[in-house]
Amino acid sequence: MSYPRTAFSEHNSERLWQLITEHPLATLVVGESDTPFVHMSLSLNNEKTHLLGHANPANPLTRLDKTHLHVLFRGPDAYLSPAQVPGLPLPTWDYATVHVHGQLSEITHPEEKRSALLHQLKQFESPVNSWDMSVLSESQIAKLFSQLFFFKMEIESITGTFKLSQNKNSDVRQAIAHLLEAQGNPLSRYY
């Protein structure tokens, strides 16, 4: 038996990109004994070939230039009870995740740093009353760039595990989707 189950594997790249964009807080597996995991927001570049990020100097990522890493993006999830879903025999937990494997590379050129930061600001800032880097002087920007570790991670492989009760009949899955939609859980749109 394979794990995760083949029925739960997600291969639709658009759905994988969408999850990364909507849930950018990633868990990077760095494997160090004191800090085996690092949590940070990452953005997907426009070509969907790299993840972009930056970290402070104390972050273990600063010592991992040219290292291959695993990254987990955890999307929406939900506990499902037989008391709420007719036909569900046992409680279960449904979820959507994306796993990326790739090589981390430091960004050293100031214009590439600027471009990476602007890309992240465009993705993360609210369109209403957003912060703009133009409020900083060039010397402040240079200082900021010297104090942060900017990086990109080439996406070498990407897989998704979308456990959405695919092993249940269509009536049960439809009941789950309706329940989650009524609860306002964004997982409902994946069914």
Side-chain angles (χ1 to χ4, degrees):
M1 178 188 257
S2 67
Y3 190 84
R5 292 174 63 173
T6 306
F8 303 148
S9 295
E10 180 58 59
H11 302 287
N12 180 323
S13 59
E14 290 306 313
R15 284 169 53 118
L16 301 176
W17 306 136
Q18 179 184 13
L19 188 142
I20 290 172
T21 301
E22 292 177 359
H23 302 276
L25 183 61
T27 301
L28 292 84
V29 181
V30 296
E32 294 193 7
S33 60
D34 292 341
T35 311
F37 307 104
V38 170
H39 307 283
M40 66 173 36
S41 58
L42 298 176
S43 63
L44 186 62
N45 72 340
N46 292 332
E47 296 79 23
K48 298 178 172 72
T49 58
H50 291 82
L51 297 171
L52 302 170
H54 59 273
N56 72 48
N59 193 305
L61 290 177
T62 62
R63 299 183 297 276
L64 299 176
D65 187 31
K66 306 296 185 222
T67 301
H68 286 83
L69 298 175
H70 292 280
V71 179
L72 167 69
F73 291 91
R74 189 175 154 264
D77 64 277
Y79 172 78
L80 301 168
S81 169
Q84 295 178 298
V85 181
L88 188 66
L90 297 168
T92 191
W93 205 290
D94 280 5
Y95 57 89
T97 62
V98 173
H99 305 172
V100 175
H101 180 260
Q103 184 176 15
L104 183 136
S105 300
E106 181 178 8
I107 297 172
T108 57
H109 192 276
E111 283 310 308
E112 286 185 63
K113 290 179 181 184
R114 181 184 300 270
S115 178
L117 186 55
L118 288 172
H119 181 82
Q120 288 193 291
L121 290 173
K122 184 178 178 181
Q123 180 179 345
F124 301 145
E125 282 288 329
S126 167
V128 178
N129 198 26
S130 62
W131 183 83
D132 191 299
M133 204 164 63
S134 66
V135 301
L136 301 176
S137 69
E138 284 303 315
S139 64
Q140 289 172 309
I141 291 171
K143 184 177 180 181
L144 173 73
F145 287 175
S146 71
Q147 294 174 339
L148 293 174
F149 175 78
F150 285 81
F151 64 91
K152 59 184 174 182
M153 185 173 147
E154 180 182 3
I155 298 173
E156 295 175 351
S157 69
I158 182 167
T159 59
T161 303
F162 285 29
K163 182 185 173 293
L164 305 171
S165 293
Q166 293 95 322
N167 56 337
K168 309 292 188 280
N169 70 48
S170 62
D171 290 340
V172 170
R173 292 192 76 223
Q174 187 174 18
I176 292 170
H178 289 308
L179 171 68
L180 295 176
E181 186 175 13
Q183 294 173 340
N185 187 319
L187 187 63
S188 65
R189 74 170 175 264
Y190 291 99
Y191 284 81

